[in-house]
Each structure stands twice: as structure tokens, then as C-alpha cells.
Amino acid sequence: MSPRRNRQHGGPKPVERVGGDRYGLERTEEWRGEDWVVRHVGGGGAAKHYRCPGCDQEIPPGVPHVVAWPQYGGVDDRRHWHTACWNARDRRSARLQRSRNGPKY
């Protein structure tokens, strides 16, 4: 028996998407009535710890994630999100989680 070949023989070539979910490319999405610039960051490009505003958990270095900011915002307006949190942003809100006896201010 000969070994199995996983190569495709002939047929159409795969179409490369421009924009989409490729790392490093920016696109514009509307959220909360505002245009946001969204960039996917690969694991190699993530070198610091970030705090996700969707789940309030840490994004460690080396984890692919999404960076989003208002279209007319500055560098200080950028937020780093887990990809799943960004995709579920309409179902989530930025909630502060306090301890049971913590102050409510």
C-alpha cells in the first residue's frame, strides 16, 4: 500500500481574503453608534500583559487578541480585547466586579 497524499491535485486555487481576520490588517466596525478601528494581533506581536475590558481578565503575552479604538480616538483610547470577548461585546458589558463587602463607589 502506498502512503496517503494530502496534496490537492489541480482544481481552483484558494482565494486570499483582503482585510478579514488576517493579523495586522485594520478594518472598521460600528459599535454603540460609533466607528471603531479593529486590528487582530497575533501571538508573536503580543509582548505585554493587557487587561480585557470585556471580561476584566488579563491577556498574557503571546496570546492572539484584538485591539480596538474609536476611529477618531488617540493612542490612549486603544483597548486590547480577547477575540471571543470582542465578538460577544454586544452581549457583555464592562462590569466591575467587587468583593461582597467592598465599597460601592
Side-chain angles (χ1 to χ4, degrees):
M1 184 187 318
S2 62
R4 182 175 153 188
R5 294 184 184 176
N6 291 327
R7 295 186 305 225
Q8 291 183 352
H9 296 285
K13 301 282 183 198
V15 177
E16 184 175 317
R17 294 182 350 191
V18 177
D21 292 338
R22 293 179 51 204
Y23 293 118
L25 295 179
E26 296 176 359
R27 67 176 187 268
T28 305
E29 294 184 17
E30 186 178 348
W31 182 46
R32 294 185 176 174
E34 200 174 351
D35 286 334
W36 288 69
V37 180
V38 179
R39 179 186 299 156
H40 287 265
V41 178
K48 293 177 17 183
H49 289 270
Y50 300 104
R51 175 91 35 199
C52 175
C55 64
D56 199 36
Q57 298 295 313
E58 189 174 274
I59 302 172
V63 173
H65 61 279
V66 173
V67 180
W69 64 94
Q71 187 173 14
Y72 300 109
V75 175
D76 294 336
D77 296 328
R78 291 187 298 188
R79 296 292 174 259
H80 296 256
W81 295 69
H82 292 106
T83 305
C85 293
W86 176 254
N87 292 336
R89 65 192 177 275
D90 292 329
R91 297 185 303 270
R92 296 180 181 211
S93 63
R95 295 183 211 127
L96 292 175
Q97 303 216 349
R98 297 180 182 94
S99 66
R100 187 173 179 158
N101 297 324
K104 297 186 180 183
Y105 53 83

